[in-house]
Amino acid sequence: QSALTQPASVSGSPGQSITISCTGTSSDVGGYNYVSWFQQLPGKAPKLIIYDVTKRPSGVSNRFSGSKSGSTASLTISGLQTEDDGDYYCSSYTFTSTSNWVFGGGTRLTVL
Amino acid sequence: QITLKESGPTLVKPTQTLTLTCTFSGFSLSTIGVGVGWIRQPPGKALEFLTLIYYNGDQRYSPSLKNRLTITSDTSKNQVVLTMTDMDPVDTATYYCARRPSSWYTLDFWGQGTFVTVSS
């Protein structure tokens, strides 16, 4: 069982927008603004698309955006494209005695 | 250009020790704040953080696997080594190494991953 909770799957049509949620606790998502999102296309390594809740690394499309409310973070993908089809994982740094990263269970995005 | 690449055995037997090497380029593990870590992904399952070593030698471990993991670094060779003892078939997974950049609490560059099968 993963530390952060994500829906198993979401779907949308090209051009639409979708949102993926990521629920944690006050020790991780809710306590700090260190939530990241990763995109994993089939057969590929994860790719960072959002860090520090809302920031995009250089080169990442502005169709990807992040937000947070309490202990739930969200990833929104606008203007869905077929190449967005894949798995999306949230992650948070956790300032516990072990201070490390926790991941969500992943969400499969299907672009219909 | 930042790259990371994992190397090591593709098949290990149950109870054996797994040793994987992450060889990186384009950055230095001597830079303040930088770290290199390991994350694994069983087939069809989610990512799982294993361990990370910082520029100053500080180490972080997954609480559930701490007793089986060791991470070391050789800054002169630009390498980080993961050792996992007492391997079991449930440890069959793709093992990734990734960089923690100096200023952010995230993992910004990942290796391509190496698939390790645990079977007799």
Side-chain angles (χ1 to χ4, degrees), chain A residues 38 45-46 103, chain B residues 4 6 39 47 96-98 107-112:
Chain A
F38 299 91
F103 286 91
Chain B
L4 302 96
E6 307 86 352
I39 304 94
L47 300 168
Y96 296 99
C97 63
L107 301 164
D108 63 347
F109 285 91
W110 293 58
Q112 64 189 22

Side-chain angles (χ1 to χ4, degrees), chain B residues 56-73:
Chain B
N56 59 358
D58 188 20
Q59 299 153 21
R60 295 286 180 256
Y61 291 99
S62 163
S64 62
L65 293 168
K66 179 176 183 178
N67 292 339
R68 299 174 52 206
L69 299 174
T70 302
I71 189 169
T72 59
S73 65

Side-chain angles (χ1 to χ4, degrees), chain A residues 2 34 36 38 40 44-46 48 50-52 89 93 95 98-101 103-106, chain B residues 39 41 45-49 52 54 60-63 96 100 104-108 110-112:
Chain A
S2 300
Y34 296 136
S36 299
F38 299 91
Q40 187 175 34
K44 300 295 186 181
L48 177 66
I50 295 287
Y51 68 98
D52 289 356
Y89 291 91
Y93 192 77
F95 285 91
T98 54
S99 291
N100 51 41
W101 279 265
F103 286 91
Chain B
I39 304 94
Q41 184 174 37
K45 296 189 177 180
L47 300 168
E48 178 185 21
F49 173 82
L52 183 135
Y54 284 98
R60 295 286 180 256
Y61 291 99
S62 163
Y96 296 99
R100 190 271 193 186
W104 313 334
Y105 284 97
T106 190
L107 301 164
D108 63 347
W110 293 58
Q112 64 189 22

